[in-house]
Amino acid sequence: MSEEGTHGPVLAGIVTALVGFSSSFVVVLAGLTAVGATADQAASGLATLLVTQSLGMLWLSLRHRIPVTLAWSTPGAALLATSAGVTGGWPAAVGAFVATGVLIVLTALVPRVGDLVAAIPVSLARAMLAGVLLPLCLAPVTALVDSPAAVAPLVVAWLLLLRLAPRWAVPGALVVALGTVVATARIDAAELAPHLAWTTPTWSLSALVGIAVPLYVVTMASQNVPGAAVMSGFGYRVPWRESLAVTGIGTVVGAPTGGHAINLAAISAALSAGPAAGPDPRRRWIAAVSASVAYLVLAVGSTALAALVAAAADGVMQAAAGLALLGTLGAALGDALSDPTEREPAAATLVVAASGISVLGIGAAFWALVAGLLLRWFLRAGRDPALPDREQSGLEAQQ
């Protein structure tokens, strides 16, 4: 391969990894911590996700010669971050991660399992995600009021870059935040060495229902399906069942050391599959290989970054995470409320998900889906599905 033919894809792959990592690693750490991980276990989980997604990318891109890009489940991490804790603690959360991976593998092996996810209306799945994201996206507002001196610099950096270089807005804000921590915090050098922390998984019904099922749904609906669609838009056909098998197995293998879920990349996939990765679509697979190598390099430094996040002042990293998720929140709200006939069930799903309630030890995300589906069924019961709502209302008035 000539140097001229590889320079573009290699650079695109490095950018893919940098943007994918910096845009949401804070969300991952927040999510793992919320379900009981110590700082050491959360750092282990971050490193594990980087390694498993990197190895999965190498396998798929080299085997099929297409730029298949993998990522951790950012919506899944956001879901965990809003959790009110897990019955059984961190080992039960790890058990839920294993169960999520098993469900993804089953989706690859048994198409009917995937049909169950497809049966959930897109508006409700996206409304659940929006409800999960909303409390996190409020963090920059509250943190700016509570700690203006610490939070204002990263908000200003985000605003300026959002205007001048939108792709780098979140990474730039994180650089400012981490720079503040480096200048003010004292960190033991022993905390910076990369390592993995093993946790033997346990299983509880509340963790399986409250974490594994919603984590599986948001990973499939908000990552895997859009990821395949992005690739299709650039003319690539993702090896769907094999990709699910690879990511599902990677999730199962990575769970005991803290990885919550890996999946097809959605947003960052466009960086390695699009024109930025070179004019020849047949050679863009090199970008996926380059990204996987870059992720392995980032894994080496992930423990140090996790230590910096843990040392940050209260509110700083929460604000950074909220800024990172604003774009995802906007997209989820747009998809959830775009169909007027689905707005009431979607709004109910969003409100319940954002409430943060826990019933029978099961978190709000699961009950949000239940509420949305029940309201949708109630509003549609006895109606002719072939008639639009407006015509249906007129028919009922005549009767």
Side-chain angles (χ1 to χ4, degrees):
M1 293 184 293
S2 67
E3 181 178 348
E4 182 180 355
T6 59
H7 176 75
V10 168
L11 181 59
I14 294 172
V15 171
T16 297
L18 289 174
V19 172
F21 174 81
S22 60
S23 296
S24 57
F25 81 91
V26 176
V27 183
V28 171
L29 293 173
L32 297 178
T33 302
V35 291
T38 63
D40 187 58
Q41 290 165 335
S44 172
L46 181 63
T48 296
L49 291 167
L50 289 167
V51 172
T52 52
Q53 70 190 39
S54 174
L55 296 179
M57 287 168 60
L58 276 176
W59 170 265
L60 292 169
S61 58
L62 290 174
R63 175 174 163 78
H64 297 280
R65 290 298 195 270
I66 60 174
V68 181
T69 309
L70 303 184
W72 52 57
S73 176
T74 300
L79 170 71
L80 299 178
T82 59
S83 172
V86 184
T87 302
W90 174 242
V94 170
F97 302 162
V98 173
T100 301
V102 170
L103 287 173
I104 296 173
V105 173
L106 285 176
T107 306
L109 299 177
V110 185
R112 287 188 176 275
V113 178
D115 293 342
L116 291 175
V117 178
I120 298 174
V122 174
S123 60
L124 298 192
R126 301 297 280 173
M128 180 186 73
L129 176 59
V132 166
L133 295 176
L134 183 58
L136 299 174
C137 291
L138 293 175
V141 179
T142 56
L144 188 60
V145 172
D146 295 338
S147 306
V151 177
L154 68 95
V155 173
V156 170
W158 176 78
L159 284 171
L160 291 175
L161 288 171
L162 192 63
R163 176 64 184 269
L164 302 174
R167 180 184 298 175
W168 300 101
V170 172
L174 282 170
V175 168
V176 172
L178 292 174
T180 302
V181 177
V182 170
T184 59
R186 294 182 178 181
I187 301 174
D188 187 348
E191 299 177 5
L192 306 182
H195 61 278
L196 299 179
W198 176 272
T199 299
T200 300
T202 61
W203 288 272
S204 68
L205 181 61
S206 61
L208 293 176
V209 176
I211 292 182
V213 172
L215 179 56
Y216 167 71
V217 170
V218 297
T219 298
M220 290 296 300
S222 300
Q223 291 277 173
N224 283 327
V225 173
V230 168
M231 291 290 288
S232 177
F234 289 109
Y236 300 102
R237 183 177 179 180
V238 171
W240 177 247
R241 296 180 68 180
E242 184 178 349
S243 296
L244 291 182
V246 168
T247 56
I249 292 170
T251 298
V252 172
V253 172
T257 49
H260 67 288
I262 60 172
N263 41 244
L264 289 170
I267 297 174
S268 59
L271 299 175
S272 58
D280 187 355
R282 295 171 299 178
R283 299 176 66 80
R284 292 176 188 167
W285 61 271
I286 300 170
V289 174
S290 171
S292 67
V293 174
Y295 275 129
L296 287 176
V297 174
L298 288 169
V300 176
S302 61
T303 302
L305 286 172
L308 290 175
V309 170
D314 288 344
V316 173
M317 289 305 167
Q318 292 87 336
L323 294 175
L325 293 169
L326 272 178
T328 306
L329 173 63
L333 285 171
D335 292 341
L337 303 175
S338 61
D339 185 352
T341 65
E342 299 281 359
R343 281 183 184 163
E344 286 80 8
T349 303
L350 187 154
V351 169
V352 175
S355 70
I357 62 169
S358 178
V359 180
L360 301 176
I362 300 170
F366 174 79
W367 296 117
L369 271 182
V370 171
L373 288 170
L374 286 176
L375 180 57
R376 187 175 187 270
W377 168 82
F378 177 77
L379 293 176
R380 291 170 176 259
R383 295 191 173 193
D384 184 349
L387 292 176
D389 278 10
R390 192 171 294 175
E391 293 183 23
Q392 188 76 59
S393 299
L395 181 61
E396 291 172 354
Q398 293 175 15
Q399 293 173 347

